[in-house]
Every structure is written in C-alpha cells, then in structure tokens.
Amino acid sequence: MRKEFLPFSRPSLSDDEINEVVDSLRSGWITTGPKVKRFEEDFLKYTGAKYAVPLSSATAGLHLVLLALGLKEGDEIITTPMTFASTLSIPTLCGMKPVLVDIEEGTLNIDVSKIREKITPRTKAIIPVHFAGQPCDMDPLFALAKEFSLTIIEDAAHAVGTEYKGKRIGSFDSISIFSFHPNKNITTGEGGMVCTPDESLAEEVSLLKFHGMSREAWKRFASSGTPNYDIAMPGFKYNMMDIQAAIGIHQLPKLDSFIKRRTEIAEFYNREFADVDEVITPKYAPYQQLHAWHLYTPLIKIEDLNINRDSFMEELKKLNIGSGLHYKAIHQHSWYRKNLPQQEGSLKNADYASDRILSLPLFPDMSDEDAKDVVEAVKKVILSQRK
Ligand SMILES: *Cc1c(COP(=O)(O)O)cnc(C)c1O
C-alpha cells in the first residue's frame, strides 16, 4: 500500500505562477488591471472566442449571462442532472424553472435526442454541460436551438481545451462559461470566463460584473485613466483580480500539455479496467473531438459488490487513494427532491450513474506509479468485496 495519500486532484503550479503573483503584489496593483487584460487576450487567442469577460467564478458568469439575456421569472431552461450545484441554483434563484433531461449511458452527457420532448413555449435556453471535458453533441443541439429559437449557454466548467469537430469550446455561436477553480484543468485560484461572439451581450455582462461601470473603469486610479466614472446600470462585484490572472497567464500555455498527460492517465485506466467486470469505464462519443479529461469517472457496479459507492470510496481512502464525487445527480439532493420532484424513472441513466460514480485521481503531476497505485487499490477493494 502507498505511504502518502494521493488526492483526486491537485493544481500544477510552478515558479512561473508564483513569481507572477509576487510581481503583482510588489507592483502595488493587485485587483483588476493589466494582468487581467492580458489573460483575457490570451484566452481569446487560445479558444478562438470573439469576446471574453474575466470574472470571479463560473457561477458568477452564469448569473450575469442569465440577467444579460433578459431571462426572467417563469422562464424554463433545459439542462442535465449530472452537474454541479450552480448550473441549477443560479437559474432557480433567478426564479426560472430548470427542466432536467436524462444523460447518455456512455458519455454521461445530456441526451440531446431527449431534449425536444421537454421543450415548451416557456423554454428559453439549453444549458449543456461538457461532462468531464467531453463535448456534448453540438450539431443537433444547435439545430434544436435554431428550430425553437433557444439560446445555448454552455456550462464549460470542465471544458477548457475541449474541441468538438475541430473547433474549441468557446468559439461556437453560443455563450460558454469556463471555471478556473483549483480542481479544473487550469486555475486562477478562483475565477471564471464568459465567451461569446455577441458583442452587446459581452458588453452587458461586462457592465453587470463591475457596478455597471465601463470595461476600462479599473483605469480610473491609473495614470492612463480619469478618476471620474459613470454608472450605466446597477451591477454586481464579480470582477477577476490581477492576482488571479497572474496565475492564469502561466497556466494557459501549459494547458495542452496538461491535457496530454491527463489523456495518457485516463487511457491507462481504461486499459487496466477493461477486463474488470465491476468497473464501467467512461466511453468516447462517436464524433470527432478532443476530450479534455477534466475527470476520470468510472461507474462501480455496486450490484455485484457487498458495499455501496460511499463505502467503496472509504475503502479506497484506507489505501491512501482519494476520490471525488462528480456527481450525485442534482435531483437526488434534498432541496431538489422537495422542490423539483421528478417522475420516477424519467432520469434512469442519471439515477444509475449517481449511485455508482466516483472520480479517481487525475491530474497532470501524477506519476505512472501513482496511476498504478490507483488501479491496484480499486482492484483490491473489488476483490475483497465481491459477492
Ligand atoms: C466547477 C463547476 C461550476 C462552478 O464553477 P465556479 O468557478 O466554482 O463557480 C459550474 N458547473 C460545473 C459543471 C462545474 O464543474
């Protein structure tokens, strides 16, 4: 058994990031400023997006996007149950009604073929989540959106670096929202980005993120700006700081190599678990894509074991292997059980995955030995708990 605990995720930070943060601290300019501007420009170049608005988190991004689109109480949005809290909590807090569509068995992405039956005259947007870094099937999604005049808001929290049919997520004719939380493929500590080709929407999000002041308002204390400012509309306080962007500036150039390493480890897991009946490995969608492998999320066939998923994770922990839970399906959580009850069996793939899923360690700095330890521990727990 390994001596040191292996977490399921850990950011890869080096002297580049450390020195850039120190540079910010020494410069006396630590909040929104030139480093945020540079990160925004680098991000535009990387993703191929037309406009990008740096923010304090992806959750903030979703909030501002819903407001900027003018969505309101009673509007319905269609999304997946296999997602993080914010995808539903923000529309809910805005008075909107989330409508859940089941996931595909293999990719755990929203089943696009089941969306049509959930569209009503009140449906305004679809929020697909590129689960674990694998793109949803965008072509049929865009066809549906066009047919019913719906907006596509991509929850791209897992998908920085993901490509669908040769195009990077962020560059589509939609709105995409990225997260730079420390578990994500690149980090800024906390942080997010909204990308869109729609100039007026980008402008609106930008105003809303900082007290309703213009994009250049941060310059009001610099020699290049004027101390006066105008409040064009009431706004929030969701701006990204230079201290955060300082980290992102040095994460972004490493993203492709991070993804390469993540892919190696994920495919190693896939090979190692191919002949273990109790492990259902994640599947690639049939279309051309680049999977960013944000998470490695097999399903454990608990019906063949003496323990449930939570105990399985406990057993792994005893062997010094950490794991994560992405996700307990959103409609299984207490608030949603009470306030957004689902018809029994209507989300059966999500229910099945929800009870069996776990995230095994996957991060660029993992060694081959670490990955072997994970496989060994998973097999050991299965052997000791087989029915
Ligand atoms: C992480 C995550 C978010 C929230 O991102 P923050 O930057 O932490 O606000 C939203 N949706 C999904 C699917 C996520 O994984």
Side-chain angles (χ1 to χ4, degrees):
M1 183 185 117
R2 55 180 287 135
K3 291 208 180 62
E4 264 172 56
F5 181 71
L6 181 70
F8 99 86
S9 173
R10 186 198 289 146
S12 301
L13 299 166
S14 68
D15 283 347
D16 303 333
E17 287 85 350
I18 292 166
N19 292 335
E20 194 75 40
V21 170
V22 170
D23 180 68
S24 237
L25 295 173
R26 290 201 199 286
S27 76
W29 197 293
I30 57 180
T31 188
T32 311
K35 290 192 204 293
V36 171
K37 189 78 203 153
R38 182 174 149 201
F39 185 49
E40 176 190 322
E41 282 163 7
D42 293 351
F43 201 79
L44 284 174
K45 229 174 274 164
Y46 180 85
T47 53
K50 192 132 187 246
Y51 300 97
V53 185
L55 298 164
S56 54
S57 71
T59 305
L62 185 56
H63 190 194
L64 300 188
V65 164
L66 296 182
L67 296 178
L69 286 169
L71 298 183
K72 35 179 210 318
E73 231 172 290
D75 288 346
E76 293 177 6
I77 58 104
I78 290 178
T79 191
T80 169
M82 221 44 185
T83 189
F84 185 60
S86 7
T87 318
L88 271 85
S89 56
I90 296 297
T92 301
L93 287 167
C94 291
M96 302 168 62
K97 186 185 171 204
V99 174
L100 298 175
V101 167
D102 204 8
I103 55 169
E104 299 172 339
E105 240 175 287
T107 65
L108 310 185
N109 268 329
I110 190 167
D111 188 339
V112 178
S113 71
K114 291 185 180 150
I115 292 178
R116 178 182 292 270
E117 63 202 65
K118 296 290 179 84
I119 296 174
T120 76
R122 288 179 303 278
T123 309
K124 292 289 155 58
I126 304 173
I127 309 184
V129 177
H130 304 296
F131 184 81
Q134 171 155 235
C136 295
D137 199 356
M138 300 306 282
D139 284 344
L141 255 179
F142 275 108
L144 266 181
K146 191 164 173 215
E147 185 180 340
F148 294 95
S149 302
L150 307 175
T151 305
I152 293 182
I153 305 167
E154 297 170 67
D155 180 332
H158 299 181
V160 59
T162 296
E163 294 174 18
Y164 175 78
K165 300 188 179 172
K167 255 169 81 84
R168 281 220 169 105
I169 298 302
S171 66
F172 285 81
D173 189 12
S174 60
I175 301 153
S176 38
I177 306 172
F178 297 91
S179 170
F180 310 122
H181 176 276
N183 283 346
K184 303 292 156 72
N185 280 14
I186 58 168
T187 188
T188 58
E190 296 284 357
M193 191 80 81
V194 167
C195 291
T196 179
D198 182 337
E199 185 179 8
S200 62
L201 188 88
E203 184 58 33
E204 186 92 352
V205 168
S206 197
L207 281 170
L208 281 169
K209 79 159 193 265
F210 193 70
H211 313 296
M213 297 182 202
S214 84
R215 280 170 97 72
E216 301 296 314
W218 61 270
K219 282 189 182 160
R220 70 196 187 284
F221 299 124
S223 59
S224 57
T226 56
N228 201 350
Y229 59 87
D230 182 51
I231 299 169
M233 61 198 284
F236 295 86
K237 181 71 197 298
Y238 286 161
N239 52 307
M240 181 185 279
M241 302 187 289
D242 264 23
I243 295 179
Q244 295 168 294
I247 303 171
I249 285 168
H250 294 282
Q251 290 271 289
L252 194 56
K254 300 176 198 165
L255 175 56
D256 289 347
S257 68
F258 286 169
I259 292 174
K260 198 160 159 261
R261 181 63 185 147
R262 285 174 174 278
T263 306
E264 276 169 16
I265 299 165
E267 293 190 340
F268 169 76
Y269 285 154
N270 272 345
R271 287 194 301 277
E272 291 293 312
F273 294 132
D275 59 355
V276 181
D277 288 342
E278 291 84 352
V279 179
I280 305 173
T281 55
K283 301 294 182 293
Y284 282 111
Y287 40 81
Q288 202 260 322
Q289 60 157 317
L290 192 143
H291 189 324
W293 283 111
H294 165 54
L295 298 169
Y296 186 81
T297 54
L299 311 187
I300 305 295
K301 280 196 190 166
I302 49 173
E303 54 271 43
D304 298 339
L305 300 177
N306 292 313
I307 51 173
N308 65 18
R309 184 267 324 283
D310 293 351
S311 309
F312 195 97
M313 291 168 78
E314 280 303 314
E315 293 300 313
L316 283 179
K317 201 164 158 194
K318 287 184 198 156
L319 299 171
N320 266 337
I321 302 296
S323 57
L325 179 50
H326 307 89
Y327 296 96
K328 175 176 157 183
I330 205 90
H331 61 284
Q332 301 282 3
H333 287 270
S334 56
W335 194 89
Y336 291 99
R337 273 182 189 279
K338 209 183 296 161
N339 296 287
L340 196 70
Q342 301 292 315
Q343 205 187 329
E344 187 69 32
S346 64
L347 302 171
K348 68 178 187 0
N349 290 342
D351 288 333
Y352 185 85
S354 180
D355 291 340
R356 290 162 182 79
I357 202 162
L358 55 84
S359 301
L360 292 178
L362 181 62
F363 54 92
D365 289 347
M366 270 175 74
S367 68
D368 292 351
E369 272 315 305
D370 292 335
K372 281 181 198 155
D373 289 346
V374 173
V375 171
E376 193 182 309
V378 168
K379 287 182 177 174
K380 196 166 172 177
V381 175
I382 287 173
L383 268 180
S384 68
Q385 300 295 340
R386 242 179 206 149
K387 261 184 191 158

